Amino acid sequence: MTLSHARPALIVFDLDGTLLDTHTDLVESLNHTISALGLDPVSYDDLTHLVGHGARVMIERACRLRGHPLESDALPPLVERFVAHYAGNMPGRTEPYPGLVAAMDRLKFAGYRLAVCTNKMESLALGLLEKLDLVSYFDAITGGDSFPVRKPDARHLTGTIDRAGGDNTRTVMIGDSINDIAVAKNAAVPSIAVPFGYSDVPVSNLDPDMIITHYDELTPELVERLLREYAVKVAV
């Protein structure tokens, strides 16, 4: 049954490490990219220190990690190499986290809007979600190149909210890393953290408004409770 409220809430998801387990494909494309420089591959254990800011930063960090800092003019061809490999192998072994699709079905049935706000390039995010037949769930999908700014700048999230036809006072941000929790704070939106993604610190250290450990917990009732509690908190 649809919950009765003035306006349907908007649930905004991060992509990598939140909606989708992308780690295997990210590592493979990253290693393909840095192999052009003769660098040793990185591992999944390195991934939490490399992701969250988009392909350019991930490549820069991987090269520094391997003792090969890049000159600015060396980066564009490496980004092209990464994008070509990553896009050409979608969806690879990427898959939604357990319980996600059922959770999105619950929220859509209750009248909620859904959106994606990721620092991944918009074309890559859209292409990946298309390959996984998930695009139809979302009212907006924005990436790190959709606006002049990206997470944790509040305008990335507020721009996503606008594109999805949402309302800042009826929005929840869900993510796995500091950028997600910080962008929610910067936009004055409550946040839910998930601990199964790519954060290099426990998500409890990021001070989210709530933590869920499985998407079975993501229900309309939980969203409404969080929105009520957040409204009380900011009013004090």
Side-chain angles (χ1 to χ4, degrees), residues 93-150:
R93 282 176 277 180
T94 289
E95 58 185 5
Y97 281 104
L100 171 70
V101 173
M104 294 196 300
D105 285 336
R106 284 194 298 272
L107 295 169
K108 295 293 281 187
F109 182 74
Y112 288 73
R113 295 173 183 264
L114 306 180
V116 172
C117 179
T118 173
N119 279 344
K120 199 186 207 81
M121 293 171 60
E122 182 178 327
S123 61
L124 292 180
L126 183 60
L128 183 56
L129 290 167
E130 285 176 341
K131 292 285 188 180
L132 293 169
D133 294 323
L134 296 175
V135 167
S136 61
Y137 281 96
F138 302 105
D139 295 275
I141 297 169
T142 69
D145 55 350
S146 300
F147 306 103
V149 296
R150 58 174 57 191

Side-chain angles (χ1 to χ4, degrees), residues 183-202:
V183 76
K185 291 181 187 298
N186 293 337
V189 165
S191 60
I192 297 175
V194 294
F196 42 71
Y198 309 146
S199 177
D200 57 354
V201 299

Side-chain angles (χ1 to χ4, degrees), residues 5 28 34 45 61 88 93 129 132 152 182 185 207 212 218 225 228 234:
H5 41 63
E28 287 184 357
I34 66 175
D45 290 337
R61 290 179 175 180
R93 282 176 277 180
L129 290 167
L132 293 169
K185 291 181 187 298
D207 193 30
I212 60 172
L218 184 59
R225 176 165 61 86
R228 288 194 302 271
V234 299

